[in-house]
Amino acid sequence: MVEYAWLVPVFPAIGALINGLFGKKYLRDQSHIIAVTAVMASLFISIIVFADIALNPIAHEIKLFEWIVSDNFSAYVGLLIDPLTAIMIMVVTGVGLLIHIYSIGYMHGDEGYYRFFTYLNLFMFFMLILVMGGNYLLMFVGWEGVGLCSYLLIGFWYQKKSASDAGRKAFIVNRIGDAGFILGIFLIFGSFGTLDYSFVFANTHLINTKIATIITLCLFIGAMGKSAQIPLYVWLPDAMEGPTPVSALIHAATMVTAGVYMVVRSNILFSMAPFSLEVVAVVGAITAIFAASIGLVQTDIKKVLAYSTVSQLGYMFLACGVGAYVSGVFHLFTHAFFKGLLFLGAGSVIHALSGEQDIRKMGALARKIPATYKTFLIGTIAIAGIPPLAGFWSKDEILTSAFAGGHYLIWAIGLATALMTSFYMFRLLFLTFYGSSRVDHEVEHHIHESPHNMTVPLMILAGFSLLIGMVVGFPPESGWIHRFLSSVVGSAGGEVHEGAGHHLSLGLELGLMALSIGVALSGLALAYSFYIKNPELPKRLAARVQGLHQALYNKYWVDEIYSVVIVQPILMISQFLWTFDQWVVDGLVNASGWITILESKISEMFDIYVVDGTVNGVSDTLDFGARGLRRLQTGAIQNYMLAMGLGIAILTVIFIF
């Protein structure tokens, strides 16, 4: 059934086309029927393809048709279906379907209802092209396509200036990363003469370490933009201006993992470039702890989850950087479920509170929206890394791999990040659902649980967050997901680079696991002490370390620094060039116009007074002379004889004297 995999991206494309052409006029509030049906069909085919690959985990190349043909370059539209692709399409279509269903209730009554589902289906199409494409060029098409859909959906409520500004910010920042990605693709073609995965990965002997390092660093720049890593992470928190289902699907579960997928897909190239792997690990570790520290004090429920997403993406890159590619994919897999759950849970809270997002204006919601509370609790435990939920298994593998590979500083950063993650997530849970109510009185009377088309997806995601990690990841480092991906993730010789080839004793592994669990529980205990047992303690602590608190609350002023160092100088240069254009260029153009007019006048005067004057003067002279000579012709003979006589007399006098 693998040969029918091409249908997986086709169904969402058809859905987007139908809603885009006929949604506004004919479908309107029924647009979701087309969109949900399309994604449901994609999921059905994905399950069949996944089952086929699970039974026989080998790579299948499906070449559909030639796309570009020239003298020295050719590319085809085709798919690469292997275990990595199978996992990714299950994540995209599975989580995507639940979020589509959730959106029916969340977006009900919105005037752009049909447009929203058009964009969601279009995003699904491009994301599936990205993960299923059989070459780097097709990956780039999907890469740019999901960037476009992200821009459209972040700014979906374009009437809000903050939303349209956030969309532009995401678009511009991603263009910076995409420039590096394009350079990497050019270098791959220049080195291998093709962009096909099968040829590139089978012929890595054609390049040396230096070339591999340059290629992979360029590719990673693209990943830094798409997956929101330092210094290109600043667009993702602002992306929360889009509708919450968008935050769950695009900016938590799928699109932002595209950079991680690309690194894992290119693992053979990255494994040839140890320096690039170090860069990936360091950037991932710094991003993880940096974003987690900001999440400690944020007050917008979606912003906390946004910085959590940036931090968890850093975890995934940390794993790839230490050679634990499978652990990175494992965390990508589990993160899609529990972070999708948390964002949709946040959307349910916002829906119940009539749009309120400030957790300082919440509290005591556990009994009022119990389904949302229980599922949000499961998601919180999962991301905190408390067993046996999903996040524990993938996070613990990453930390163990870092320690086993001798990356002790990176392991310590990862452990500190785990403590922060547990603290800020339970802080979010306690402030939202526990304590005394701080909800506005007008809003409190209208608090209600979300409809079933919103709560049922929450329950399904909660079930996956509860069980999926143990099902696919146990026992650690040798579970099903490791065996499944072993044919994809490794060097050309097939060696899997988990833990950089180092193995730990059972006792040490258990000790590291116990330490990881202890850190997660410590974060829980600390948050409980701060926000349940001693709710005044956070204020006193913030006053004591006011400078640090302000730095965290203001997100280290990174956006302000970027504004001063980059944005404002560019605006000043633009203003200067605009002024230069107005006063100098336009002045020269205007001066040129006056010169043209003057030349025209001079030419006109020359024609009138010189050319025409000369011609007319000759004519007038001849006419005047003719008139004078005509007077001599009187017709009287005696006059003629008198004139002749006078003439003879004058000539005689002249000759005599």
Side-chain angles (χ1 to χ4, degrees):
M1 294 298 291
V2 174
E3 61 269 21
Y4 295 106
W6 60 272
L7 289 170
V8 176
V10 166
F11 286 123
I14 295 173
L17 188 63
I18 293 174
N19 274 329
L21 293 176
F22 308 110
K24 184 176 182 179
K25 187 173 182 180
Y26 299 106
L27 298 172
R28 297 173 184 163
D29 293 341
Q30 303 302 314
S31 299
H32 63 271
I33 297 175
I34 300 297
V36 172
T37 302
V39 180
M40 194 177 296
S42 288
L43 176 60
F44 177 73
I45 302 296
S46 297
I47 292 172
I48 295 174
V49 171
F50 180 83
D52 202 347
I53 295 294
L55 293 174
N56 187 21
I58 61 174
H60 298 264
E61 286 190 76
I62 304 173
K63 294 188 177 182
L64 300 176
F65 56 87
E66 286 188 325
W67 178 17
I68 301 173
V69 179
S70 66
D71 291 340
N72 59 351
F73 176 71
S74 64
Y76 63 90
V77 172
L79 310 177
L80 174 63
I81 310 299
D82 62 4
L84 179 59
T85 307
I87 286 179
M88 292 302 298
I89 62 175
M90 286 297 292
V91 169
V92 175
T93 57
V95 177
L97 176 61
L98 294 175
I99 293 174
H100 272 69
I101 295 172
Y102 177 95
S103 299
I104 297 172
Y106 191 88
M107 298 299 294
H108 177 70
D110 193 284
E111 62 179 12
Y113 193 76
Y114 83 94
R115 183 164 52 90
F116 181 81
F117 281 100
T118 300
Y119 292 165
L120 279 190
N121 267 188
L122 188 63
F123 166 79
M124 294 289 290
F125 166 71
F126 280 121
M127 188 68 200
L128 289 167
I129 289 294
L130 191 157
V131 300
M132 297 177 72
N135 54 62
Y136 280 102
L137 191 59
L138 209 54
M139 177 193 276
F140 182 72
V141 171
W143 190 277
E144 292 300 301
V146 295
L148 169 65
C149 294
S150 175
Y151 164 75
L152 294 173
L153 286 165
I154 292 171
F156 179 76
W157 288 316
Y158 56 85
Q159 301 91 340
K160 291 171 55 180
K161 186 177 185 301
S162 57
S164 59
D165 287 347
R168 286 195 295 270
K169 184 175 183 179
F171 190 84
I172 293 170
V173 173
N174 273 275
R175 296 291 72 72
I176 298 171
D178 292 353
F181 189 52
I182 293 172
L183 288 176
I185 292 175
F186 286 163
L187 289 170
I188 290 172
F189 173 71
S191 301
F192 296 96
T194 182
L195 297 175
D196 296 347
Y197 294 146
S198 56
F199 185 89
V200 171
F201 299 153
N203 293 275
T204 52
H205 61 276
L206 296 176
I207 61 173
N208 55 34
T209 300
K210 182 179 179 180
I211 298 299
T213 300
I214 297 173
I215 289 174
T216 50
L217 287 177
C218 288
L219 293 178
F220 183 58
I221 291 172
M224 290 164 64
K226 195 67 70 185
S227 296
Q229 297 296 285
I230 287 177
L232 302 179
Y233 74 94
V234 292
W235 67 271
L236 183 56
D238 287 6
M240 299 303 106
E241 290 289 341
T244 299
V246 173
S247 303
L249 177 63
I250 296 183
H251 305 124
T254 54
M255 187 197 82
V256 290
T257 62
V260 179
Y261 166 78
M262 185 268 291
V263 171
V264 176
R265 173 61 72 193
S266 308
N267 69 88
I268 296 175
L269 293 174
F270 277 89
S271 296
M272 291 182 62
F275 177 75
S276 295
L277 285 179
E278 290 293 332
V279 171
V280 172
V282 170
V283 169
I286 293 174
T287 302
I289 195 168
F290 180 84
S293 66
I294 296 175
L296 294 173
V297 299
Q298 296 304 301
T299 56
D300 185 308
I301 188 171
K302 289 177 66 176
K303 287 289 181 72
V304 174
L305 296 177
Y307 281 105
S308 173
T309 299
V310 175
S311 179
Q312 296 302 306
L313 289 167
Y315 250 114
M316 298 174 204
F317 282 112
L318 186 159
C320 295
V322 301
Y325 298 109
V326 174
S327 297
V329 176
F330 187 17
H331 198 57
L332 182 159
F333 185 62
T334 59
H335 179 266
F337 294 107
F338 61 69
K339 186 53 67 65
L341 167 62
L342 289 168
F343 264 110
L344 294 187
S348 184
V349 171
I350 296 167
H351 182 268
L353 298 180
S354 304
E356 183 59 65
Q357 296 185 201
D358 192 335
I359 57 177
R360 295 171 298 184
K361 299 179 181 179
M362 298 181 186
L365 296 176
R367 292 184 179 180
K368 297 175 181 178
I369 46 175
T372 300
Y373 160 66
K374 292 173 183 176
T375 53
F376 200 93
L377 174 63
I378 291 173
T380 301
I381 297 173
I383 193 174
I386 298 175
L389 277 73
F392 163 74
W393 302 97
S394 54
K395 181 205 69 174
D396 187 68
E397 279 195 11
I398 293 173
L399 294 176
T400 301
S401 297
F403 190 90
H407 303 274
Y408 301 120
L409 178 58
I410 289 184
W411 168 79
I413 293 174
L415 199 64
T417 301
L419 175 63
M420 292 181 181
T421 302
S422 179
F423 175 81
Y424 68 66
M425 284 309 305
F426 279 105
R427 167 183 177 266
L428 179 61
L429 180 78
F430 294 148
L431 287 175
T432 303
F433 295 99
Y434 289 83
S436 59
S437 176
R438 300 176 300 280
V439 181
D440 184 85
H441 293 297
E442 292 295 327
V443 175
E444 192 161 15
H445 295 299
H446 302 286
I447 295 177
H448 59 282
E449 184 61 272
S450 298
H452 291 305
N453 52 20
M454 293 176 66
T455 55
V456 170
L458 291 178
M459 295 173 187
I460 295 173
L461 288 170
F464 277 104
S465 300
L466 187 63
L467 300 172
I468 197 67
M470 186 166 50
V471 170
V472 306
F474 184 82
E477 298 188 9
S478 59
W480 174 86
I481 194 168
H482 288 267
R483 299 191 302 273
F484 187 58
L485 291 175
S486 62
S487 63
V488 178
V489 179
S491 65
E495 178 189 354
V496 178
H497 290 260
E498 291 300 306
H502 297 277
H503 299 282
L504 301 175
S505 65
L506 179 60
L508 184 53
E509 283 195 11
L510 292 176
L512 291 173
M513 183 181 295
L515 180 60
S516 176
I517 296 171
V519 163
L521 293 176
S522 297
L524 164 59
L526 195 60
Y528 179 82
S529 175
F530 271 49
Y531 298 100
I532 300 297
K533 190 175 181 181
N534 301 298
E536 295 300 319
L537 185 59
K539 295 180 181 179
R540 295 201 300 267
L541 182 61
R544 185 174 299 178
V545 288
Q546 188 175 5
L548 177 60
H549 181 269
Q550 286 297 312
L552 296 176
Y553 184 76
N554 290 286
K555 300 158 286 188
Y556 298 104
W557 297 283
V558 172
D559 283 298
E560 289 78 6
I561 292 171
Y562 280 3
S563 178
V564 171
V565 176
I566 299 174
V567 177
Q568 293 303 321
I570 291 176
L571 291 176
M572 290 174 63
I573 293 172
S574 301
Q575 181 68 32
F576 169 76
L577 293 176
W578 182 83
T579 304
F580 181 83
D581 177 74
Q582 293 293 307
W583 290 96
V584 179
V585 177
D586 287 357
L588 290 175
V589 170
N590 292 334
S592 175
W594 284 109
I595 291 172
T596 302
I597 293 172
L598 182 60
E599 289 177 346
S600 176
K601 291 295 183 181
I602 293 174
S603 176
E604 182 181 355
M605 293 174 66
F606 182 81
D607 288 341
I608 294 173
Y609 294 104
V610 178
V611 178
D612 291 349
T614 301
V615 172
N616 294 333
V618 171
S619 174
D620 291 342
T621 302
L622 292 176
D623 182 67
F624 178 78
R627 289 177 183 276
L629 292 175
R630 189 173 58 190
R631 295 180 180 278
L632 298 178
Q633 304 298 323
T634 62
I637 296 176
Q638 58 269 25
N639 291 339
Y640 299 154
M641 293 182 65
L642 176 61
M644 291 176 62
L646 290 173
I648 292 171
I650 292 170
L651 289 174
T652 302
V653 173
I654 291 172
F655 280 111
I656 293 175
F657 295 98

